[in-house]
Amino acid sequence: MEPTKKFSFFEQNYTYKVMSNTPFPSVEVVYKWSPKDVIIFLESKKDELFLRDQDIKIIEDNWVAGHAFLDLTEEMLVCKPGPFELPYGPAREIAKSIRVIKGEEQDDGPPRKRPRLVRVLDGEQVSDNSKSMSWFDQAEETKKAFFQDSPNVIVRGGYSPGETDFVEFITSGTFVDKSLFIVEFMVYSAHANLITRPRRFGKSTNLSMLYTFLAPALSEEDKVRRFGLFKGLKVVKFDWFIKLHFGNWPVIHIGFKDLNYESWDLMLNSIKRRISNLYKEHRYILDNKKLYTDDKSYFENILNETINESRLMDALSSLTRYLYEYFGRKIIILVDEYDWPMERARNFYDRANAFFGSMYSSVAKDNELVYKILFVGLLPLGQASFLSGLNNTVHYPMHILPGIHGRADYSDMFGFTQKEVEILLSKSTQKIEIDKLSSYYNGYQTSTGVCIYNPHSIMSSLKKGNFEDYWANSGSANTIRECLKRCSRDIEIQLQNLFYTFYSLQDDDSLQSLVEMELKPHLRYDVLEKELEINAIYTLLCYSGYLTVKTYSTDVELIVPNKQWGSTKVQLIIPNREVAEQWRRWIIEIIGVARVKTNDIFNSLFKKDINMFCEQFPALYAEMVSCYDIGDAKRAKSYEGWYHTFVLGALAMFHGGDYQVVSNRETGNGRPDVRIIPVNQKIDTCVIFEFKLAKSESHNEMRKGAKDGLNQIVDKNYRSNTASHIQMIVEVAIAFYKKSTFVSARLLQREKVEPSTSHTWKVVSLAESG
């Protein structure tokens, strides 16, 4: 017969209370504990208090009974010299648990109302005294608040479009409150996370804010000062969150932008300097004099930048361990511009790939000392190599699908929403029209249909009071430009069509010709250097911000993910006029010499040389198209639309500047296919195009089609409402059949000064193809 087990006082009293959902025993119970009871209690709370075995062993070695345990304070536990000399983190957590037992502090454990946060993230005002609800009821109520928004703008200075440091931003600038990003990251994110956004969309500022909130303060005064930075921001409404997370997490925060990339040796030296500066921020670990000899030597070599390449790969992993041993708490790692070095490592890609892949994987894969890690950057780089250790990384692009509560994670945390821009305008002294601001800088979309403005351009426009290409001119796009120059002809035409139809979409949604593509789950810059594939090009353009996913709030199924990092089928468009101007410059550049010939032919119309246009356009068209292009149009049953788009493409040089290219806009009694209208009043000639699809390739049939087109211009009164500064009109009708064209044109001169009708124009000359 087995002897009866003798239960300790703790096991007899405390276990029952734990099963009854009472997290801590009473003072009366603890006062009667033996030293063994104290140790059993600490071991039961090991994970919750982030205690290590060696921390508990120190308490055990000092034979602390219940009454003595209740007298322990944080200062006593960390005091040096002293009987305990615990790290700051474990000492703080043990002292806090004692205060909870004594009733001096509430047990603010992890929140049980997680869906409530989703509601606040979307702007719903929620009382802290709200009735407790079941998970299902909270989820149902949350769904009703998906698209509510309560923007918050803090004005403490001017506009700082180039600023990324949160402290500078919030103390001396105009700050759009994105502080709920902190809550969303700490409560809902996975262990390893990747957020991709175009450049200048607030990634660095959000990471700086996250670091400022989480990292331990150097003193109580510093903690008070730092908390003051968040006064008035949304995050402070969560008392439990503040107590649980503010200043309570050791954080590694590093960015890899602007490294020297002339050679691998120079980049390696830049990395050493960057990591050395990071270690200097945490030099207090070295000053603590508790590192092992080898660790101290390693730490000093990092500071002196004398570490070799193979050991430098372990720099983040080693610092993680040092911080954990110092604070006794798991670490949060924030890596800004994680992919920046790879875009520049053209001549030494394999070495850079091996270095950063090893360094990132060492802190993200199976590292029990890391609580969360966040990478932010431009592209999702290939997990098969670069992020081989991050197989469970959760990727959050701008178009990520909503979760079970209808919120698309982080979707509105980077860039400005419509309501945020309206608040900014209301607080600005600049007289800027919201519609014009929207056409220039809006257009990015989330999967739930929320439109996102480019924040850099908005702040720059408010600062200067005008509309310019601020974002396009704020950074390099060399990778994209070089890829476009190497595109095959079919890819080139598809990309041009995106640009041309952008201007068509401004006037008539029926002309939408969106590109439907499979976004690749990840890219490699070295592959983009060697071989080009259309899906890779579109993926690069989308994540870089030169295209956006077209979505609708009522039909999020337009984005269909196959798996977490799998391919995604999307429809892509150019987001706004600012980006369209960059496309215009690219198109002129990537077509090269052929564009010069095209420019000459279309410029002949403004020189009133309609004979040259009629003679040379058919040859130009035959040279620039292929049967493959026509075949695609045939399958889509859109011959005429394809010809329409081709001419819009050839008119790329007229988009913007002195001219406005108008497509299918209602005029007179119909819709002329294309009009080129000079905005510059010193230019006195406009052009009207009408396109016709011929029934056959015969000369007579095509000539008849062109004549019908010219007659339609008159019959439908397309000349009406011509601006008063226009003295000449060139009317062009083009009949198409596969690769053949026939052109008829006429030149007209205004006869009267009054507002024109079809009878105030005199035909000066006629021309047609031979």
Side-chain angles (χ1 to χ4, degrees), residues 36-53:
K36 179 182 177 183
D37 293 323
V38 171
I39 299 306
I40 294 174
F41 166 74
L42 291 177
E43 288 179 340
S44 72
K45 291 287 185 180
K46 178 179 177 182
D47 293 336
E48 184 178 337
L49 301 180
F50 300 97
L51 300 179
R52 303 167 299 173
D53 290 339

Side-chain angles (χ1 to χ4, degrees), residues 505-516:
L505 287 170
Q506 308 306 299
D507 306 309
D508 187 357
D509 286 345
S510 66
L511 289 178
Q512 289 190 9
S513 179
L514 305 180
V515 172
E516 190 168 277

Side-chain angles (χ1 to χ4, degrees), residues 364-378:
K365 183 180 182 180
D366 300 328
N367 192 330
E368 295 181 353
L369 306 184
V370 176
Y371 180 62
K372 290 179 184 288
I373 184 168
L374 173 59
F375 299 98
V376 300
L378 193 70

